[in-house]
Amino acid sequence: MTQTATQRPVHWRPARVAEVREETATTRTIAFDVPGWPGHVAGQHVDVRLTAEDGYQAERSYSIASPPDGHRVELTIQRVPDGELSSYMCAEMRAGDEAELRGPVGGWFVWHPEESTPVLLVAGGSGVVPLMAMLRERARAGSTAPFSLLYSVRNPEVALYAGELDALARDGGGLDVSLLFSDAAPEGTTRPVGRIRPDDLAGTGLPAGSAGRAYVCGPTAFVEAVAGLLADHGYDPSNVRTERFGPTGG
Amino acid sequence: MSDGEYVDGNAAAGMLAEAFRTEVSTATVTCGNCGRSGRFADRHVYDRGPGLVARCPHCGEVNARMVRTPTDVWLELHGSTSWRIPAPPA
């Protein structure tokens, strides 16, 4: 494991919102400038702390969406009904606002660009965020490791990064992207709508099990289901790295 | 907080990293109840209260409780029998 980004002391650092981009009707990407940011590895997390004028503080952990890029750290935040911080960040936060970031954290659900092992990424909903960091890092580093993304979403309107994923897949170079629509699919989609199933894994073109590694991120129930499918497909559980977030995110 | 609303161990990794001065989501935790070992990242973390609670994903035993005060991080670990933390060569 590369130690540089995972063994440094971790403490709160002041950050400023550099840019806000709307992704979908309920999701936005917030780019922070974090002076002194030690760098991160694709797949890692960061804690965000906001302080209200009356001193009230709230903090949550988010996956980093961007590849390592100097002092820049991008998070894609989904608004969730009971999410105190996500509601605020999705509705109110704008360029120039201040926050504090602590991280990066996480040394298991990470991908290093020097690895050449074939990789299967399986995302459920906004679980695509840390996997997107891996795809962006792969492109940034010019890696030719075979990658396949299975991205399960309810419908095209809530699919994150759709244009960018299209472009990355069109560039070739061993990346295969499949969107799996569970509720409603665009016209012309041949796959029947529905949850991820064994056929979806067989269609990725990656060798069954054997040398491949899988990263699975999504709601708990999704991750448990996919971990079962991967085991049936021949993946050694030690090559399956999972990350669950709660039913409401935050 | 209702039952089932947990996240994985990474949600607690920031507070732990601050306390231990190193990355601990890859630490191997042995549960004090069922005796099974696994990565801290796989604990079920309940983080909607004033502190954090990390439970064994197999038996539900509370393996760790953590609270951050303005000056300290408090850890209560009696529900785990060991923590094996990767350490770079000395």
Side-chain angles (χ1 to χ4, degrees), chain B residues 66-88:
Chain B
M66 290 156 274
V67 173
R68 180 72 161 92
T69 73
T71 54
D72 301 279
V73 178
W74 283 76
L75 298 175
E76 189 277 291
L77 303 173
H78 90 272
S80 48
T81 53
S82 69
W83 285 58
R84 198 177 88 219
I85 299 170

Side-chain angles (χ1 to χ4, degrees), chain A residues 107-186:
Chain A
W108 175 241
F109 199 83
V110 294
W111 180 76
H112 298 277
E114 57 271 23
E115 299 178 52
S116 56
T117 308
V119 169
L120 172 64
L121 308 175
V122 189
S126 57
V128 74
V129 173
L131 307 182
M132 193 65 195
M134 296 178 190
L135 289 175
R136 287 167 166 164
E137 174 66 341
R138 179 181 179 276
R140 187 190 72 94
S143 161
T144 54
F147 262 59
S148 192
L149 169 67
L150 296 177
Y151 178 15
S152 173
V153 278
R154 289 207 185 92
N155 59 59
E157 285 73 43
V158 297
L160 286 168
Y161 317 126
E164 188 178 348
L165 285 172
D166 257 0
L168 285 172
R170 265 202 314 274
D171 285 348
L175 168 63
D176 178 65
V177 173
S178 304
L179 266 65
L180 313 174
F181 298 101
S182 59
D183 285 357

Side-chain angles (χ1 to χ4, degrees), chain A residues 1 6-12 45 47 60-61 102 104-109 220 242-250, chain B residues 4-8 10-15 17-18 21-23 25-26 39 41-44 47-48 57 68 86 88:
Chain A
M1 183 199 302
T6 55
Q7 296 294 342
R8 289 209 182 97
V10 169
H11 56 85
W12 291 106
H45 282 241
D47 295 341
R60 296 289 293 159
S61 178
R102 180 175 62 188
V105 291
W108 175 241
F109 199 83
T220 301
T242 60
E243 179 148 296
R244 296 166 287 254
F245 51 80
T248 60
Chain B
E5 291 201 3
Y6 64 87
V7 291
D8 70 358
N10 282 312
M15 190 187 290
E18 204 178 11
R21 304 276 191 267
T22 189
E23 166 63 43
S25 62
T26 53
R39 284 181 193 77
D42 291 330
R43 303 298 102 182
H44 293 180
D47 63 350
R48 301 300 168 93
R68 180 72 161 92

Side-chain angles (χ1 to χ4, degrees), chain A residues 13 34 59 65 80 82 88 94 132 160 167 198 202 208 216 230 234 242:
Chain A
R13 289 185 172 83
V34 194
E59 65 182 73
V80 291
D82 297 325
Y88 175 80
R94 57 199 85 248
M132 193 65 195
L160 286 168
V216 187
L230 288 172
T242 60

Side-chain angles (χ1 to χ4, degrees), chain A residues 47-90:
Chain A
D47 295 341
V48 176
R49 181 164 74 184
L50 300 181
T51 305
E53 281 174 17
D54 64 2
Y56 173 75
Q57 290 189 322
E59 65 182 73
R60 296 289 293 159
S61 178
Y62 294 101
S63 291
I64 300 172
S66 53
D69 179 19
H71 295 167
R72 178 64 66 97
V73 176
E74 295 189 1
L75 311 177
T76 300
I77 315 275
Q78 181 174 30
R79 186 187 329 220
V80 291
D82 297 325
E84 180 182 43
L85 227 55
S86 72
S87 300
Y88 175 80
M89 291 171 81
C90 279

